[in-house]
Amino acid sequence: MSGVLRAFTIGLTAFLTVVDLFATQAILPALTMAYGVTPAAMGLAVNASTVGMAVGGLAVAFAGKRLDRRRGILLSLALLAVPTALLATMPALPVFTVLRIVQGLFMSTAFGLTLAYLGERAGPADTANAFAAYVTGNVASNLFGRLLAAGVVDHFGLAANFQIFAVLNLAGAVLVWFTVERTPRMAAMDIGNGSPLASWRRHFANPGLIAAFATGFAILFAFIGTFTYVNFVLVAPPFAVGMMMLGAIYFVFLPSVITTPLAGIVVRRLGTRSTLWLSFAVAAAGLPFLLGSGLPAVLLGLGLVAVGTFFAQATATGFVGRAATIDRGAASGLYLASYFLGGLAGSAVLGEIFDRWGWTACVAGIGASLTLGAFLAAWLVEDREVNPAPSR
């Protein structure tokens, strides 16, 4: 498989794995009206998927080396279609929330096992590019998933939206069936043959990995806070955009589709810490524009936040895959658990701030999270120190 085709396949797998995660954010105003609840309540229900993502990440971290990568990814994506289809029945909000958690569980299991698979199958020189391709698929799912959700809801309603996404879940399983190779269990491949807790202790003894886990928490905290609650700002005066226009606004993710694949190149030239600092600076530069009174300014701000946070995500994810010397499945799972717990915290904390004090206070909270991420990046060991170049 050529490099370009391989990158496309990795990206498409990521797209079909997490397309359900953030696409529902684009229809938050419609769901809020349908259920008759506050933005914070609906935002928490929709983002409850991050609870399942965190649990799934921990499950992969604990038992991942016993799992066949291909079979685990395949089953996770096939089973993901079940809760997605059940959401089309528009159940009561508590049931809706539980189904989102179950969605997150299956998405995270597939996500974590795929990251472990890439870390094990890619050579040291290809690891950063492989992870960047996977995160680029994540970016594309944010863009095209939201566009699709907004368009389907606008023309066919909420139930049709979830039915279509269930079909996409099954398409992901089919893609994995044909493209992911069967691999030996990690226990047979890795020197980390002890108990899962022993692997965890090794990972938590690595300051760089601890910092990377916490950095992931800060990244999704900021991202969720931005792209969940900005929807309510955009549908209200003075913007008052309609559902279809709200979906089109997410073309702000398009620059990220172009920039995120470059993360591997930038990391090799600047190192992990400098790349993360640059990423957080770009995201922070967008925050003042989010408070503008004109739509072009807000779109510019959203675009900068997206570019910065996705670039940071690709950088941190690749670092974990390289820095973990044993049981990469456990390391990836712990990172994902922390990352998605950050999303849940961002939804809950910034949702309350938004309901009580408004959008300006919410943006201030986003800025605090980005600042924390930049601070934590100082503890990440540079790539050249993790994998020093061989002497010539």
Side-chain angles (χ1 to χ4, degrees):
M1 185 181 294
S2 69
V4 174
L5 180 58
R6 179 172 180 269
F8 175 79
T9 303
I10 291 171
L12 183 58
T13 302
F15 176 92
L16 295 171
T17 299
V18 296
V19 70
D20 298 276
L21 184 59
F22 296 121
T24 313
Q25 288 181 350
I27 58 173
L28 262 173
L31 286 168
T32 300
M33 291 183 61
Y35 279 92
V37 295
T38 65
M42 198 70 236
L44 189 60
V46 165
N47 291 318
S49 55
T50 58
V51 175
M53 296 292 284
V55 172
L58 289 174
V60 170
F62 189 79
K65 67 181 181 180
R66 296 180 176 85
L67 298 176
D68 177 88
R69 302 289 185 250
R70 181 177 183 273
R71 184 179 302 167
I73 300 167
L74 186 64
L75 287 176
S76 296
L77 291 177
L79 292 173
L80 174 58
V82 177
T84 306
L86 290 175
L87 285 170
T89 65
M90 297 299 291
L93 192 60
V95 179
F96 182 100
T97 304
V98 170
L99 289 173
R100 285 291 287 171
I101 292 173
V102 176
Q103 275 189 309
L105 179 63
F106 290 131
M107 282 187 281
S108 182
T109 303
F111 197 98
L113 290 175
T114 304
L115 290 181
Y117 174 85
L118 294 176
E120 294 155 6
R121 300 286 291 184
D126 297 328
T127 302
N129 290 336
F131 282 113
Y134 196 73
V135 175
T136 301
N138 187 357
V139 178
S141 74
N142 272 270
L143 168 57
F144 297 108
R146 291 171 198 257
L147 285 171
L148 178 62
V152 171
V153 169
D154 192 45
H155 289 88
F156 304 106
L158 289 165
N161 170 74
F162 294 113
Q163 292 165 352
I164 288 174
F165 277 85
V167 173
L168 289 178
N169 300 151
L170 294 176
V174 172
L175 178 66
V176 168
W177 176 270
F178 287 106
T179 61
V180 174
E181 298 176 5
R182 194 178 303 276
T183 61
R185 291 182 306 142
M186 193 170 175
M189 299 169 56
D190 208 315
I191 64 172
N193 291 330
S195 70
L197 293 180
S199 296
W200 288 26
R201 284 194 294 270
R202 287 283 297 274
H203 294 322
F204 283 120
N206 184 330
L209 282 178
I210 293 175
F213 298 156
T215 300
F217 182 98
I219 291 170
L220 196 59
F221 187 104
F223 182 88
I224 286 283
T226 302
F227 290 98
T228 296
Y229 299 107
V230 74
N231 292 289
F232 299 101
V233 174
L234 293 172
V235 298
F239 306 111
V241 302
M243 182 58 63
M244 195 63 198
M245 180 61 181
L246 185 62
I249 280 172
Y250 287 102
F251 273 108
V252 296
F253 288 124
L254 194 56
S256 300
V257 176
I258 299 170
T259 59
T260 303
L262 303 176
I265 298 172
V266 176
V267 166
R268 285 194 294 273
R269 293 187 178 181
L270 301 181
T272 298
R273 285 178 291 190
S274 296
T275 303
L276 281 173
W277 285 332
L278 176 63
S279 301
F280 286 121
V282 170
L287 299 185
F289 295 102
L290 297 181
L291 302 175
S293 58
L295 186 58
V298 175
L299 296 181
L300 175 60
L302 291 174
L304 289 171
V305 171
V307 168
T309 52
F310 280 122
F311 215 86
Q313 164 68 341
T315 302
T317 304
F319 174 84
V320 171
R322 294 185 300 276
T325 56
I326 65 166
D327 200 349
R328 289 185 176 89
S332 295
L334 290 170
Y335 174 81
L336 289 177
S338 180
Y339 177 73
F340 289 111
L341 282 174
L344 179 64
S347 177
V349 173
L350 295 176
E352 283 300 313
I353 291 175
F354 180 78
D355 275 355
R356 292 172 180 268
W357 296 293
W359 180 234
T360 300
C362 186
V363 171
I366 295 165
S369 182
L370 294 174
T371 302
L372 175 62
F375 176 78
L376 290 166
W379 272 265
L380 268 66
V381 179
E382 296 286 353
D383 295 342
R384 63 181 65 91
E385 297 171 8
V386 176
N387 289 302
S391 58
R392 296 181 182 276

